[in-house]
């Protein structure tokens, strides 16, 4: 299969900065928020958003790694922060690609067990093939693809890219 690059490193950096500004605008009244990234690429994307957000705003950012079994999303979900550490705070759940919405909806459900001030979602690529009523509040790019196509994001420092295969 051939690979068609849909976002190069510079475009991904631009999307990260834009999403960081949108998060800042949404949470401007908050002193601190939690950026929760779904392991593994979602967490890398969350780290990049958190770094950009800290560059442009006074908001204190706590990073949280969300571990979910993607083939069995009903299995126990673990987070690097305790429930008390994100209770009554603003939270942004981050993943690299929103495909069917399965991973995102189960991760959202996990965080709904705690009272949150505000809850938003962010993805780099939204594929528009959702099985569940979940949406990305902040997205880098929306892409209409066939079900046979696959979007992959590679975070490799200066070689970051997203491609379709």
């Amino acid at each position: 299969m051939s690979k068609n690059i849909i976002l190069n490193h510079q475009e991904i950096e631009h999307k990260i900065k834009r999403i960081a500004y949108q998060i800042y605008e949404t949470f401007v009244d908050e002193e601190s928020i939690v950026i929760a990234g779904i392991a593994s690429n979602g967490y890398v994307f969350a780290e990049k958003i958190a770094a950009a957000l800290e560059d442009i705003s006074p908001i204190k950012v706590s990073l949280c790694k969300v571990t979910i079994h993607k083939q069995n999303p009903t299995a126990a979900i673990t987070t690097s922060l305790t429930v008390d550490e994100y209770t009554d705070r603003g939270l942004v759940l981050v993943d690299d690609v929103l495909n069917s919405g399965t991973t995102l909806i189960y991760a959202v459900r996990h965080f709904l067990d705690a009272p949150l001030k505000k809850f938003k979602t962010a993805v780099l690529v939204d594929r528009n093939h959702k099985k569940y009523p979940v949406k990305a509040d902040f997205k880098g790019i929306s892409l209409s693809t066939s079900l046979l196509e696959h979007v992959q994001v590679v975070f490799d420092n200066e070689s970051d890219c997203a491609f379709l295969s």
Side-chain angles (χ1 to χ4, degrees), residues 63-111:
L63 269 168
C64 176
K65 185 179 225 170
V66 181
T67 306
I68 183 169
H69 190 284
K70 293 191 179 195
Q71 283 69 40
N72 182 15
T74 58
I77 294 172
T78 59
T79 59
S80 61
L81 295 180
T82 65
V83 174
D84 291 339
E85 290 175 291
Y86 56 80
T87 296
D88 292 323
R89 293 179 67 192
L91 188 138
V92 181
L93 181 62
V94 178
D95 205 359
D96 59 340
V97 180
L98 175 53
N99 283 313
S100 66
T102 304
T103 304
L104 205 58
I105 197 102
Y106 281 96
V108 164
R109 189 182 82 180
H110 171 81
F111 284 104

Side-chain angles (χ1 to χ4, degrees), residues 16-28 30-35 45-63 90 92 138:
I16 290 166
K17 192 174 284 187
R18 185 171 55 78
I19 289 170
Y21 274 105
Q22 289 174 319
I23 290 170
Y24 181 32
E25 289 170 2
T26 303
F27 293 94
V28 70
E30 299 297 322
E31 288 181 22
S32 67
I33 63 169
V34 174
I35 305 286
F45 188 43
E47 288 176 315
K48 291 175 179 285
I49 290 171
L53 191 56
E54 288 174 334
D55 285 345
I56 62 167
S57 79
I59 296 173
K60 182 182 176 296
V61 177
S62 299
L63 269 168
V92 181
F138 313 113

